[in-house]
Amino acid sequence: MSGPRTRTIAALVSWRWTAIVLAGALGLLASLVRVGGDWDWLVAVGDHVRRTGEVPGAVPFAAADTAGWHDVPVLAQLVASWWHGLGATTAVLAHLVLVTVALVVAAGAARARGASDAAVAWALVALVAGSLTSLGLVRAQTLSFVPFALVLAILARQHASPDRRIWWVVPVVAVWGNLHGAALLGTCVVGAYLLVDRLRLRPLETVGVGVSTLLALCVTPQGWHTPTYYLEVFDNVSAQRGEGLWARPSLTSPVDLVMLLAALALLVAVLRTRRPAWEYVAVAGLCLATADAARHGVWLLLLLTVLVAPDRSRTEDALPGVGSRAVLAGALAAVVALVVALPVAVVRGDAVLGADPDDVAALAAVAGDRVVLAPAPLSEALAVAGVRLWVSNPIDAFARDDQAAYLDFLEGRDGGRRAIRSSDLVVTRGGTSPDDLAASTDGLTPVDCPSGWSCWVVDDPAPEA
């Protein structure tokens, strides 16, 4: 009797530093987390889908033309709408749970590759420190954390011991593709493993898995139009300009600098020993993706965390695997982290929301039936409240000229005056670039607004196209 009990206790003790880091990291995230700028649009569209029972062919709350929009992440919209129906702060609590699960899965995958408790703990410190802008915001990519970690865990194990369980990546990608566009990056990582590592060992099976994974990406309400959705997402004006969510890493940005330093530290740890070729390819690909958009840094750091142990696979010092006691230890570490984090988030109340509910209600009353131009995340919160917006997220659904005008408005550039003229009511945060632009635009009449906000009625708005 003492043997199994002793081994269980040893398994729990072997996760002690990882559990401590997880608890501290989740406590920090819970004290900082809030709803970000591309979450509430999922809620607004999801409310429409649940109400009508139909997948929209245009953004339902938008005044600007979005006809022909390919709405792929319908499952994400339904999830967001359901969470919102349970309470405005439910998405924040769910976000912390998903982050915890993703971190524990990544930690478990690293431990299964032979990484020590201390090595995984410091890797998690680097991951969380370098990903605060991702892990600390509830955004659409929240729904990608767990699928990405699962795919990495499957690939790491399959490299060591290839078998038919590789087929698990197909259903994971199929579900993931209905949640968030990062499924495309995950599919690229799968492709790196299949083509570089597995093809020569199990060619027929590998081709079958690869083709099935690509097809799984198209198992969405848009079917064969799904690739068009991805093309539009990656070709939007914000991505071309490298602005907003598509901004490139900047050495003048403290959070970007920490992300780059964390990635460098993990890269040194990973590359100090010889790695399988597919790992080099996957890391290089995500390095390029991160250089193109800082938002992709979280995926690079997650991959490096899983790879932090030296590669011992296919040798006499093979992978130890994941036993039931290790799973129990990881589960208990997750519970410890959530016991610390969730009460912190609950105590913060409405402070976790992207826009104050009282302000949203007051601004919605001012808006009435008018078409509103406002910055995110306020604009998306207004959409949830039933306000009609000129342009907002999802930015790729709109015509390129409208995308450009809206981005110019957010940056306070002259091109934003077209966005102002296309709206009935302009709402800005006092003292910001959009506020200065609106204040310097002729033909606007100020109206009463909640404290901290500025509201202008457009005297002669441009007619809708």
Side-chain angles (χ1 to χ4, degrees):
M1 294 295 293
S2 60
R5 185 180 302 124
T6 300
R7 287 193 294 271
T8 299
I9 294 174
L12 298 177
V13 171
S14 73
W15 275 69
R16 63 188 183 279
W17 290 113
T18 301
I20 291 171
V21 168
L22 280 172
L26 268 295
L28 172 65
L29 292 175
S31 68
L32 300 174
V33 68
R34 61 181 178 83
V35 176
D38 71 336
W39 178 258
D40 278 339
W41 79 264
L42 294 174
V43 177
V45 178
D47 288 346
H48 172 85
V49 174
R50 293 173 67 189
R51 184 172 59 252
T52 64
E54 298 178 351
V55 176
V59 178
F61 54 80
D65 181 31
T66 57
W69 175 49
H70 299 292
D71 186 10
V72 165
V74 176
L75 180 58
Q77 295 156 11
L78 292 173
V79 169
S81 174
W82 177 55
W83 286 350
H84 188 266
L86 296 176
T89 61
T90 300
V92 171
L93 303 181
H95 170 88
L96 292 172
V97 172
L98 293 178
V99 168
T100 302
V101 172
L103 294 182
V104 169
V105 170
R111 293 300 304 273
R113 288 169 56 89
S116 68
D117 179 38
V120 171
W122 86 257
L124 290 178
V125 170
L127 167 59
V128 174
S131 305
L132 284 179
T133 54
S134 294
L135 303 182
L137 284 175
V138 183
R139 298 196 312 218
Q141 71 174 10
T142 291
L143 300 174
S144 277
F145 294 146
V146 172
F148 192 79
L150 286 174
V151 165
L152 294 181
I154 292 170
L155 298 184
R157 186 62 192 169
Q158 285 297 303
H159 168 73
S161 181
D163 61 25
R164 301 175 80 174
R165 283 175 287 187
I166 184 62
W167 285 97
W168 277 109
V169 300
V170 177
V172 171
V173 168
V175 175
W176 190 4
N178 287 271
L179 294 172
H180 186 243
L184 186 60
L185 284 178
T187 301
C188 290
V189 174
V190 172
Y193 164 71
L194 293 177
L195 292 174
V196 178
D197 188 84
R198 194 184 183 96
L199 183 61
R200 58 189 172 82
L201 300 175
R202 302 166 74 110
L204 292 179
E205 180 185 65
T206 299
V207 171
V209 173
V211 172
S212 298
T213 302
L214 291 174
L215 292 176
L217 270 181
C218 296
V219 183
T220 74
Q222 298 300 322
W224 297 112
H225 293 292
T226 302
T228 301
Y229 163 79
Y230 284 108
L231 289 174
E232 291 171 347
V233 167
F234 286 98
D235 193 42
N236 72 75
V237 175
S238 182
Q240 287 190 341
R241 292 183 178 182
E243 296 178 347
L245 293 176
W246 297 90
R248 297 174 179 84
S250 171
L251 295 179
T252 61
S253 168
V255 292
D256 285 352
L257 185 58
V258 172
M259 183 268 288
L260 293 173
L261 291 175
L264 179 61
L266 287 172
L267 273 171
V268 170
V270 168
L271 299 180
R272 62 190 170 88
T273 58
R274 186 176 179 181
R275 319 298 301 199
W278 80 270
E279 294 183 10
Y280 289 119
V281 173
V283 169
L286 288 179
C287 283
L288 291 175
T290 301
D292 186 61
R295 62 185 290 187
H296 297 319
V298 63
W299 314 126
L300 172 62
L301 294 175
L302 264 170
L303 174 62
L304 293 174
T305 297
V306 171
L307 303 182
V308 72
D311 177 53
R312 302 179 193 173
S313 58
R314 301 175 186 168
T315 70
E316 69 281 358
D317 195 13
L319 295 182
V322 182
S324 59
R325 294 180 180 85
V327 172
L328 174 62
L332 288 178
V335 170
V336 169
L338 290 174
V339 166
V340 172
L342 293 184
V344 175
V346 169
V347 168
R348 291 178 62 206
D350 289 345
V352 301
L353 301 179
D356 183 271
D358 293 335
D359 286 353
V360 172
L363 290 167
V366 173
D369 295 330
R370 297 186 180 102
V371 174
V372 174
L373 178 69
L378 172 66
S379 58
E380 298 176 6
L382 289 173
V384 175
V387 173
R388 195 173 182 217
L389 304 174
W390 183 63
V391 172
S392 181
N393 280 313
I395 191 72
D396 52 273
F398 297 86
R400 301 183 69 81
D401 288 347
D402 292 341
Q403 293 182 39
Y406 182 64
L407 293 173
D408 286 341
F409 165 74
L410 296 180
E411 295 297 324
R413 293 188 285 254
D414 286 342
R417 299 189 198 278
R418 176 175 173 271
I420 291 173
R421 290 294 180 194
S422 300
S423 309
D424 299 321
L425 180 71
V426 180
V427 180
T428 60
R429 175 73 77 177
T432 62
S433 296
D435 189 64
D436 294 338
L437 179 67
S440 64
T441 301
D442 296 333
L444 303 185
T445 301
V447 294
D448 290 338
C449 239
S451 177
W453 297 97
S454 302
C455 297
W456 288 273
V457 171
V458 181
D459 297 335
D460 187 21
E464 293 184 29

